[in-house]
Amino acid sequence: MSKQKDILDILASKNLIEVKALEQAKEEAERNNRNLEELIVEKGLITEQKLYQSKAEFLKIPFKELAGYKPGPDILKLVPLEAAQHYRFVPLNVDNDILEVGVLNPEDIDTSEALKFIAHRNNLAPKAYLITLSDFRSVLKEYSNLKGEIKQALDELKKEIEREEKRSIKEEDEGKIEKIAEEAPISKVVALIIKHAIDQDASDIHIEPGEKAIRVRFRIDGVLYTNLTLPIRIHPAVVSRIKILSHLKIDETRKPQDGRFFTQSGKKKIDFRVSTFPTYSGEKVVMRILDPTIGLRELSDLGLEARNLDVLKRTIQKPHGIILLTGPTGSGKTTTLYSILHILNEEGVNIVSLEDPIEYFIDGVNQSQVRPEIGYTFATGLRHILRQDPDKIMVGEIRDNETAALAIHAALTGHLVLSTLHTNDAIGVIPRLIDMGIDRYLIPPTLILAIAQRLVQRLCPNSKKEMSLSPEMREMVKRELGTIDQDQFKKFKLKEPLTFYEPKPSRECPKGIKGRIAIYEILEMTPELEEIVLKEASESNIKQEAKRQGMVTMLQDGILKASRGLVGLEEVKKEVEE
C-alpha cells in the first residue's frame, strides 16, 4: 500500500474525510489519470490546508504556509523551471548555506534525489518543507516571468501564422504578411530577453544556436548562466531582428559583423554592442550591455585606494606622458580608462580618443571608431589626431610597434596619452615596450605610470561569513602582508587579528556575490626607475624598485580587500594566478 493511500486512509479513519467519498474519488482519479490529492481538494472533501498539514505530520517533515510570499529571481534561478515542474518542488529561500524548498511529494525517491543534486550543485544543503498545491502553483506562476512572457510571444507568433494560412492572400501581399507575422512576436521575444538581462545586471547576452534549440545565456558577475532555451526554428528571425536593430546586413550570414543600438531602461539610456559570428549550427550573437552609469564611475568606486588612488590622481594631472593599463580581456581596463577620461573632461581641454569599439559615449570627448577593414587603424588615426590640436589622447590599445612609436612621439610632443597593453602585471610593461622596438632612452621621459588590474567578485555585504584559513593560505597572507611598506600598511587601519570571509548564500544574494571590484598595482616612473631602464631593465631590478617606491601588488591589494570582507581570499588568489 502506497504512502499516499496510507495518509488518506488515516484521514478517513479520523473522520476528516468521508470514506465513501474517498473511494469514489480514488476510482475517478484512476479512471481519468488524475492526482488523487488534487481531486479530493477540488471536490471539497477536505480543505487543502488540513490535507497538507496532516500529510506533513504523517511524513514527519515541517509544513510551511507561504501566505503570498514570492521568491525573487535570484532564488528562482537556482532551480531550473523544467525541474520544478517535473519534480514538483520550488525554491523558497537560502539561509546559512541551506536551500529551503517547498515540495509537494517529498516521499517520492526521484524528487528527493533531484533536490539533493540541485542543492549540492549550488554548494548548498537541501531542506524540504511541505507546501500546499495552491502555494506551489502560485510560486510557479511567478517562477520565471521571462519564460512565461517568451512563451506568450511564441504562442502569438503561432496563432498569427495560422490565421494568415486560413486567409485568401494575394500573391503580392505574401511577403508583407509573412514579415508582419514574424516580426511582431519576435520583436517582443528579443525585447523581453534584453529587459530581463538588464533587470539581472547582466554584462553580456549570448544567443547560441544548437542542433535542436537556441540557448540564451546571461553573464552575471563574470559568470555565464543559462536563462532559457528557445525553439531552433525561430533562430533566423531572432538574429534578423537583432541585426535590424543594429543596422547590420540581414542577408550576410557567412562572416562576422559588428554593430550597436541603444534602448531606454527607466531613465537610463542603455547601449548594446552587438557581434555576430558564424558557427556550424548558425549565427551566434553576443550583445554587450553598456550602462553609462557603470562606465563612468568614481575612481574610488572601482577599487582604487590609499597609495594607488593618490598616485593616479596626481599623475593624470601632468600635462604630458603615457599612462598604460594592462590586464587580460575582461579585467576592467576600459572602465578605468573611461573613469579617468571623465575626470579629465573639462572646459578648455581637447580630448580625442581612438577606440575599437566605442563602448561608452562621453559628452565633450571627441571619440572616433577605428575601422581596420578600410585602413583606418590605431596608427593611422594617431597620425591624424596630432593634427586635431589635442591636449589628451586615448588610444584603445597598443597592438604593434607602429602604434607604440606614435604614442611615444605624441607624449614627447606635449600630450597626455592613455592606452592599454597586454602584459601579466605592471612590472612587465617596460620589457614589453622594449620588445616592441621602443628605444630604451625614450621610455623614461614618456612612460609615467603602468597600471595592472583584475576583476574579483565582490562579497554581498550582508551575506558573508568568517572563514578559517588553511596553513598554506595563512602563510601566504603573512608573507605578502609582511613585505608591504609599513607606512602604506598603516593607511588601511586593519584590526588584528585579521579576519577573512567567504560567501554566505542568502535570500538577497543566493550565491553570496554582488558585483565585482578591481584589484590594482601601480608602478610609477621615478629617477631610480629611469636609471634601471637605461642600464638593465630586467624584471627583478624593476621589482626591487617597485618595492622601494611602496608599490602594492595585485595579490597584496586583493588580500587587503579580503581582510575587510570586500572579496573572498580564494577568489583573489585564483584571479591573480590566472
Side-chain angles (χ1 to χ4, degrees):
M1 187 176 286
S2 70
K3 284 187 177 180
Q4 186 186 58
K5 288 181 180 179
D6 287 343
I7 297 165
L8 295 173
D9 288 340
I10 289 170
L11 292 175
S13 68
K14 291 182 177 181
N15 295 320
L16 295 174
I17 184 172
E18 292 183 9
V19 176
K20 185 178 180 180
L22 176 58
E23 292 301 325
Q24 290 174 345
K26 287 178 182 179
E27 291 176 7
E28 184 178 341
E30 189 173 344
R31 185 171 61 249
N32 297 323
N33 194 27
R34 292 283 306 277
N35 180 282
L36 182 54
E37 291 178 4
E38 293 180 23
L39 188 61
I40 63 174
V41 171
E42 186 181 298
K43 287 180 171 294
L45 302 181
I46 188 172
T47 65
E48 186 180 52
Q49 193 84 357
K50 194 64 180 175
L51 170 64
Y52 286 99
Q53 283 178 339
S54 300
K55 184 175 179 178
E57 291 173 11
F58 177 79
L59 295 174
K60 294 182 173 55
I61 72 167
F63 174 77
K64 184 181 280 280
E65 186 178 1
L66 300 187
Y69 165 67
K70 298 174 182 178
D74 287 341
I75 296 292
L76 293 172
K77 71 183 180 183
L78 295 176
V79 177
L81 177 59
E82 294 77 9
Q85 292 170 326
H86 180 75
Y87 296 106
R88 297 166 73 78
F89 62 73
V90 288
L92 302 177
N93 189 25
V94 175
D95 186 33
N96 289 324
D97 295 334
I98 293 173
L99 174 62
E100 297 177 356
V101 179
V103 187
L104 284 180
N105 303 312
E107 72 276 19
D108 182 73
I109 295 175
D110 290 340
T111 297
S112 179
E113 291 300 317
L115 175 55
K116 288 178 184 176
F117 173 78
I118 289 173
H120 292 160
R121 186 179 65 182
N122 290 287
N123 297 317
L124 301 168
K127 183 174 183 179
Y129 292 89
L130 191 70
I131 59 174
T132 66
L133 179 61
S134 295
D135 282 343
F136 172 76
R137 286 173 173 167
S138 177
V139 174
L140 212 55
K141 281 182 183 177
E142 298 295 325
Y143 191 85
S144 178
N145 288 330
L146 173 59
K147 291 181 176 66
E149 291 170 341
I150 291 289
K151 183 179 183 301
Q152 183 181 354
L154 294 177
D155 288 343
E156 288 174 16
L157 172 61
K158 184 179 178 182
K159 289 176 183 177
E160 186 69 29
I161 293 173
E162 287 174 352
R163 280 197 299 269
E164 298 306 334
E165 285 177 347
K166 291 177 182 178
R167 284 185 195 169
S168 175
I169 306 171
K170 293 181 182 179
E171 191 173 339
E172 62 268 24
D173 291 337
E174 285 185 355
K176 293 180 182 178
I177 292 173
E178 183 181 350
K179 186 177 181 182
I180 292 170
E182 283 191 2
E183 284 192 4
I186 290 299
S187 298
K188 189 173 181 180
V189 169
V190 173
L192 288 169
I193 291 171
I194 289 170
K195 174 183 178 295
H196 284 268
I198 294 171
D199 289 346
Q200 294 184 43
D201 295 324
S203 61
D204 300 85
I205 303 170
H206 290 240
I207 298 176
E208 304 165 323
E211 186 177 346
K212 297 180 180 179
I214 307 168
R215 178 173 63 170
V216 179
R217 296 195 288 174
F218 297 164
R219 187 178 294 279
I220 302 171
D221 295 334
V223 181
L224 276 172
Y225 298 97
T226 299
N227 280 69
L228 75 156
T229 56
L230 298 171
I232 192 64
R233 62 184 170 81
I234 70 165
H235 175 255
V238 170
V239 174
S240 294
R241 176 60 188 163
I242 296 170
K243 284 183 174 181
I244 289 170
L245 290 171
S246 312
H247 305 289
L248 301 178
K249 295 178 181 178
I250 297 175
D251 58 347
E252 179 55 79
T253 61
R254 300 167 300 170
K255 63 182 182 181
Q257 296 186 70
D258 295 310
R260 68 189 306 148
F261 67 93
F262 75 89
T263 187
Q264 203 74 22
S265 178
K267 295 182 179 180
K268 292 191 295 186
K269 176 184 172 183
I270 308 292
D271 284 299
F272 290 83
R273 194 179 80 201
V274 178
S275 172
T276 67
F277 185 76
T279 71
Y280 178 78
S281 301
E283 287 184 283
K284 174 182 176 178
V285 178
V286 174
M287 292 184 278
R288 168 65 58 87
I289 302 172
L290 303 168
D291 183 347
T293 60
I294 296 174
L296 302 178
R297 293 160 64 188
E298 296 293 329
L299 293 176
S300 56
D301 294 335
L302 300 178
L304 285 154
E305 54 189 347
R307 172 189 178 271
N308 287 342
L309 184 60
D310 294 340
V311 170
L312 182 55
K313 280 185 173 181
R314 169 168 42 84
T315 306
I316 62 176
Q317 298 305 322
K318 292 187 176 183
H320 55 82
I322 297 179
I323 297 174
L324 290 177
L325 278 80
T326 184
T329 302
S331 60
K333 301 187 299 296
T334 303
T335 300
T336 303
L337 275 177
Y338 275 103
S339 296
I340 295 172
L341 283 182
H342 188 56
I343 294 172
L344 297 176
N345 187 20
E346 298 175 343
E347 184 68 30
V349 176
N350 179 23
I351 303 176
V352 185
S353 75
L354 283 172
E355 304 176 52
D356 185 21
I358 297 171
E359 295 207 5
Y360 301 101
F361 293 105
I362 308 176
D363 191 32
V365 176
N366 303 287
Q367 297 171 267
S368 182
Q369 164 85 50
V370 300
R371 300 190 181 278
E373 69 274 11
I374 61 172
Y376 183 41
T377 63
F378 283 123
T380 55
L382 256 176
R383 288 194 183 91
H384 289 284
I385 278 180
L386 294 175
R387 301 171 195 160
Q388 289 287 313
D389 186 30
D391 298 298
K392 321 288 183 185
I393 300 170
M394 196 267 268
V395 181
E397 184 181 347
I398 293 178
R399 298 173 179 171
D400 51 44
N401 168 266
E402 186 180 11
T403 308
L406 287 166
I408 291 287
H409 174 69
L412 285 171
T413 53
H415 304 90
L416 182 67
V417 181
L418 309 173
S419 191
T420 68
L421 200 65
H422 279 289
T423 64
N424 290 329
D425 51 29
I427 303 295
V429 168
I430 292 171
R432 175 68 177 138
L433 289 174
I434 294 172
D435 288 343
M436 295 179 81
I438 301 301
D439 292 325
R440 289 172 185 268
Y441 70 89
L442 292 175
I443 296 176
T446 54
L447 180 67
I448 53 178
L449 217 58
I451 306 171
Q453 68 178 90
R454 298 287 191 280
L455 284 179
V456 180
Q457 291 181 334
R458 188 194 289 263
L459 295 177
C460 198
N462 300 318
S463 301
K464 58 187 177 185
K465 60 182 180 181
E466 292 187 20
M467 64 175 290
S468 57
L469 300 185
S470 66
E472 293 80 11
M473 291 290 277
R474 194 170 296 280
E475 179 58 33
M476 180 196 73
V477 169
K478 183 179 178 181
R479 181 181 66 250
E480 292 296 330
L481 296 187
T483 59
I484 295 178
D485 179 82
Q486 286 303 303
D487 290 335
Q488 294 298 324
F489 191 76
K490 289 176 184 177
K491 291 182 180 180
F492 293 95
K493 300 177 181 178
L494 301 178
K495 295 180 181 179
E496 297 284 355
L498 298 181
T499 304
F500 294 91
Y501 301 84
E502 60 186 355
K504 175 188 174 184
S506 68
R507 179 182 297 177
E508 294 77 17
C509 299
K511 293 186 179 294
I513 300 297
K514 190 77 171 177
R516 291 188 290 175
I517 190 172
I519 54 175
Y520 290 90
E521 62 183 31
I522 295 183
L523 177 67
E524 188 177 13
M525 183 58 69
T526 60
E528 292 82 0
L529 184 55
E530 289 180 12
E531 190 174 340
I532 290 170
V533 173
L534 293 173
K535 290 183 178 179
E536 181 56 50
S538 66
E539 290 201 6
S540 59
N541 288 341
I542 298 172
K543 280 182 180 178
Q544 288 180 4
E545 164 55 20
K547 183 178 179 181
R548 187 205 64 78
Q549 63 180 244
M551 185 185 89
V552 176
T553 68
M554 281 186 291
L555 179 56
Q556 291 168 342
D557 189 33
I559 293 172
L560 290 168
K561 286 182 169 72
S563 69
R564 287 173 288 147
L566 296 176
V567 297
L569 192 58
E570 291 283 357
E571 178 72 9
V572 168
K573 188 172 181 290
K574 183 186 76 172
E575 286 296 331
V576 174
E577 287 180 349
E578 286 182 354

